[in-house]
Amino acid sequence: MKIKKGILLILCTLLLMAAGCSRQEEKKNVFRDAAPAGMEFLACGESGTLTRIDMDGEVHTIETGIREDLNGVVKHDDTLLAVGEKGRVFIQEAGNSIEVPEAADGNDLYDAENFKGLWLAAADGGIWASKDAREWEQVQSGEGRFLSIACSDELSVCAREDGVLYLSEDGETWEEISFNEYYGTDMKMQQIIYGGGLFYLLGEEENAQRIFTSSMGSVWSERVLDMLEGEPADLSDETFVGMVWDGQEVIVGCESGSLLTLP
């Protein structure tokens, strides 16, 4: 792992805001999630906060009319989708904005992705799917919080907080895999993303954060975090707050404000 050189300032700003680490004191803990959107970026968070950030670093507020926190945001083609507490869904397409109250039976929604034209949302108690982002159907149930979901062209993987993964090739039928049981860990899962042919899984075990990678979602290898710029290093003091694929490599944002890459 090495510190990224010359990374776009906008990506730094986005990661820090999503981590609740904006330099402006009054902005702390506002943002919950961030996502690329073509040449721009999106960030969402507390009290219906939704912003678009252009490549010049200008922040443009998107009015949602939502008071509940928004936890996840994604853009697919021309449709922007944000999901949040109490099943709140915000849709913006073709210049029109639509609010969907109490989707997923009013369960909190934590993350969303589009997989083969099907919208998927990770929620309290399961995974929900929708063809139009308006009418939602539960396609997988389970106890606990389904926190994060990531998709390749062929596979979708959803991470449950207590160390269980769910895999699907169509977004409707899911296979359950107990990551903790299989690998003999006790990880609390935090985030999963996809980029460059690999899924990246971030979790915490005994106050130590760990990152695993997989090409298939069923077999995982730990990415040992003991090197910095080619030299042995102890990164245990860093707290990872989120990962983003920037089109070339994974950027890991730290609570300290540092940005690390997985080359």
Side-chain angles (χ1 to χ4, degrees), residues 23-169:
R23 292 193 182 98
Q24 299 180 28
E25 189 68 23
E26 67 273 13
K27 293 290 187 179
K28 281 188 177 180
N29 301 320
V30 168
F31 292 91
R32 298 285 182 85
D33 190 33
M39 298 299 290
E40 299 180 330
F41 302 92
L42 298 167
C44 70
E46 293 182 0
S47 303
T49 299
L50 184 61
T51 60
R52 177 177 61 84
I53 306 169
D54 63 30
M55 290 301 293
D56 294 325
E58 295 293 326
V59 178
H60 307 273
T61 299
I62 300 173
E63 297 296 336
T64 65
I66 293 175
R67 295 185 178 181
E68 292 82 10
D69 295 344
L70 293 173
N71 299 316
V73 63
V74 61
K75 189 173 183 181
H76 176 72
D77 293 335
D78 294 326
T79 300
L80 181 158
L81 181 74
V83 299
E85 294 182 334
K86 300 180 182 179
R88 276 297 208 173
V89 175
F90 176 81
I91 308 163
Q92 188 179 75
E93 54 188 9
N96 298 316
S97 297
I98 301 168
E99 297 175 41
V100 181
E102 297 188 350
D105 290 345
N107 289 296
D108 288 348
L109 302 171
Y110 299 109
D111 197 12
E113 285 288 347
N114 188 283
F115 180 57
K116 298 183 177 181
L118 188 69
W119 292 102
L120 299 173
D124 258 339
I127 304 169
W128 294 73
S130 175
K131 294 180 180 179
D132 60 5
R134 295 159 177 78
E135 299 291 332
W136 293 81
E137 176 186 5
Q138 189 169 26
V139 291
Q140 177 66 49
S141 61
E143 295 183 359
R145 299 198 299 172
F146 290 63
L147 283 183
S148 188
I149 191 165
C151 305
S152 68
D153 289 339
E154 303 298 330
L155 182 69
S156 180
V157 182
C158 186
R160 202 171 77 188
E161 187 176 34
D162 61 355
V164 177
L165 296 176
Y166 293 83
L167 280 62
S168 177
E169 295 180 353

